[in-house]
Amino acid sequence: MSQLSSRHLLGIKDISPEDIQLIFETADNFKDVLNRPIKKVPSLRDITIANIFFENSTRTKLSFELAEKRLSADVVNFSSSNSSVKKGETLIDTVNNILSMKVDMVVMRHSSPGAPHFLSRNIKANIVNAGDGTHEHPTQALLDAFSIREKLGDVAGKKVAIIGDILHSRVALSNIFCLQKLGAEVMVCGPVTLLPKYIDTLGVKVEHDVQKALEWCDVANILRIQLERQQIKYFPSLREYSLYYGVNRKMLDRLNKEIVIMHPGPINRGVELNSDVADSEHSIILHQVENGVAVRMAVLYLLAGVK
Ligand code: CP
């Protein structure tokens, strides 16, 4: 297989294990390119990509922009906070105006679940979902699984615990789909108020004791408490959350085994993850960020080739 099965990347739910393997093999090649003195290839020289961000981002936005520039694409960036969206312009009008300037691909982050799916039905360009509300964040899941594969040799057969605010996390849902498609076992762990009601339908183990989750898993992916999406109180205080659900060095020292610690960022240090773990030899957090560029290069390159 040398081509993706879809011209958009809207979510991991919609793509096949073969698509994921093709993205990983392509990302391996681009990772080699990124380790060379000249980190640029001409693959997307005739392609123009618009990065359209309606929500804040550091890693995803910079990573996509760097991936596009390493592929020699022309790049335009749009941020809703200083745009005509503030004057009432709709999503479709905004994107159609950008596309009329001869843009081929759109990378979009939006706070509404389904916004990129809606866009894909109404415009001609390839769409990449860079995070839609609490729904999916497909390239984050791909770079997370790629990082596990790099660290442990394979994803199949590994036990991955996703710990924290599962309810508000698009990273959790995309990771569950991606890890399961690649043959990993998945556990979610957090307070019952921060697990979605439909969790039983996802085929994951559920645990509420973080120490037990750490004992079970090969990899712990710790998620941020997303206060900006919480309209009501899901736990009494951040201090109490940290006390019962935060991961600290003492918990790792009690384990009699190797463990890999991941976090998609941004980290609330001292809340879901202490610095003595985030910055420890167990952590591959900055490798995740590094791998994000190669994985996003692979996604953009492959999507541009889908007829
Ligand atoms: N992991 C992630 O999506 O980070 P940003 O919100 O900074 O892009």
Side-chain angles (χ1 to χ4, degrees), residues 11 29 46 57-58 78 86 186 193 247 269 280 305:
N29 292 332
D46 300 325
S57 170
T58 298
F78 165 91
K86 295 282 172 210
V186 184
T193 51
V247 176
R269 285 179 183 261
S280 74

Side-chain angles (χ1 to χ4, degrees), residues 56-61 109 130 137 140 170-171 264-266 296:
N56 294 342
S57 170
T58 298
R59 277 147 293 272
T60 311
K61 191 162 186 283
R109 172 168 286 190
H137 191 348
Q140 180 69 45
R170 53 195 174 210
V171 175
R296 289 179 173 119

Side-chain angles (χ1 to χ4, degrees), residues 23 40 43 100 122 137 164 212 214 235 254 272 286-287:
I23 291 168
K40 208 163 169 154
S43 314
S100 68
N122 287 282
H137 191 348
K212 284 187 184 157
L214 294 173
F235 47 87
R254 272 184 229 134
E272 71 269 2
L286 291 179
H287 291 113

Side-chain angles (χ1 to χ4, degrees), residues 131-142:
D132 60 329
T134 56
H135 182 217
E136 281 225 43
H137 191 348
T139 57
Q140 180 69 45
L142 289 168

Side-chain angles (χ1 to χ4, degrees), residues 13 50 92 96 112 118 126 146 172 175 193 196 213 217 278:
K13 191 172 185 202
I92 289 280
N96 271 329
S112 297
F118 170 71
N126 308 82
F146 183 85
N175 259 268
T193 51
C217 69

